[in-house]
Amino acid sequence: MTYTTQMDAARKGIITEQMKIVAAKEKMDPNRLRELVASGQVVIPANKNHRNLDPEGIGAGLRTKINVNLGVSKDCCNIELELEKARKAIELKAEAIMDLSCYGKTREFRRKLVEMSPAMIGTVPMYDAVGMLEKDLKDITVDEFFKVVETHAEDGVDFMTIHCGINRATAERVKRNKRLTNIVSRGGSLLFAWMELNNQENPFYEYYDRLLDICVKYDITLSLGDACRPGSIHDATDAAQVEELIVLGELTKRAWEKNVQVMIEGPGHMAINEIPGNMMLQKRLCHGAPFYVLGPIVTDIAPGYDHITSAIGGAIAAAHGADFLCYVTPAEHLRLPDLDDMKEGIIAAKIAAHAADIAKGIPGARDWDNAMSEARANVDFPRMIELALDPEKARRYRESSRPEHEDTCTMCGKMCPMKNMKKILNGEDLCIK
């Protein structure tokens, strides 16, 4: 039996090779996974042209995944550095990489990225349109927008962020309801500008079925972008954000009718107390589709530390239903991240994802923590370092400050509670002078 997309296969009762791999990784029954893909609660982004993909699932009952952003800009156009970042992201086991290149002829870089990466690859075709077509934004035609989308699909991109929900009605809502930070989505702001300059509807909304046909052809997972995501905690959960979310829910159903896999993108900046409600709202309005969040960043005052503000929000969001976290680096709001920034962002996002998996009761999530606790109870520093999320940093810290006794650290020394409790419970004397 033939099929067009992972969702089409799942609805026909077919367990694809990608489903088998994901089920094994997630310790889930393959038939249960197939049911979740069929219902749209899980997506497996897997472009037919991405030959060396090691597939991952995103959605209900699965481990929280993370995405790494990279790509060239006009001010920082070093393709080799971006490829080095990609290699590091793969080494650190990021499940997804998004190429957000927005300058010049990006196809060569994108093809290299797809060819080298076992991680799923995402793009935002809107970023590429001006550079690829060498035209002013106002002069780009509807056909040219779709040409860019199809080019990315041909190159093997597994998921695309496309801001289909910022239609003219939502744009009017933005204009009528003053925001502190307006539209901070790059792709969303470009489409808003194109609509205003041309007095036309968003082409990806007006010709949505044309977009879905491309997705079916290559089995692209459509990541419905949130043009109206809040760019400050002041703007969170406002009329524009909620109206766009309602539109995205409608577009999700239309995509599912054509067997196109969908995930929904979400906030943004948001106070901690608003996060659980937003997660519930998204899942309700978008019919349980996987939720992909940037952060949420929980306070606006920490430039240079936004990997931390994002990890706080990401952990809370994922514990309350978000399925996919976009990393944020210390360079957020300041500059293009370098290699060190990227690593800090990845580690912070992975901490948030793992903490959420523990809260969600994902099978096996606590096993890693229990192994670490056992190593600590045994004062086994080599084992602790081996189990660390970032063994390199843990080893560097340990070696930078050596204790008098190797089975302690320089904070506690002979007062080490782990070591001393074992001795006392074993009936031994202590000597801690």
Side-chain angles (χ1 to χ4, degrees), residues 352-363:
H354 182 68
D357 288 348
I358 292 169
K360 288 191 283 192
I362 297 297

Side-chain angles (χ1 to χ4, degrees), residues 149-162:
V149 171
E150 183 121 27
T151 298
H152 283 224
E154 288 174 356
D155 291 344
V157 170
D158 302 295
F159 65 99
M160 293 186 198
T161 294
I162 300 184

Side-chain angles (χ1 to χ4, degrees), residues 165-180 182-183 226-230 232-248 270 274 278 281 285:
I166 178 73
N167 56 22
R168 298 199 75 183
T170 306
E172 284 301 315
R173 185 78 67 185
V174 172
K175 289 190 284 186
R176 289 199 305 270
N177 294 269
K178 181 63 179 171
R179 292 179 130 197
L180 194 60
N182 296 311
I183 290 179
D226 54 337
C228 296
R229 72 171 181 264
S232 58
I233 60 172
H234 176 276
D235 294 342
T237 326
D238 69 353
Q241 180 196 333
V242 175
E243 176 158 329
E244 184 183 30
L245 191 60
I246 292 169
V247 175
L248 296 184
M270 182 167 288
E274 293 185 56
N278 267 262
L281 192 64
L285 293 177

Side-chain angles (χ1 to χ4, degrees), residues 279-315:
M279 300 306 106
M280 182 183 67
L281 192 64
Q282 182 279 331
K283 289 287 184 176
R284 179 69 174 172
L285 293 177
C286 296
H287 322 293
F291 201 19
Y292 174 24
V293 295
L294 177 67
I297 288 173
V298 296
T299 177
D300 300 329
I301 64 166
Y305 298 91
D306 276 325
H307 59 312
I308 297 173
T309 64
S310 172
I312 293 167

Side-chain angles (χ1 to χ4, degrees), residues 177-192:
N177 294 269
K178 181 63 179 171
R179 292 179 130 197
L180 194 60
T181 47
N182 296 311
I183 290 179
V184 299
S185 159
R186 199 184 336 173
S189 66
L190 290 171
L191 276 169
F192 181 94

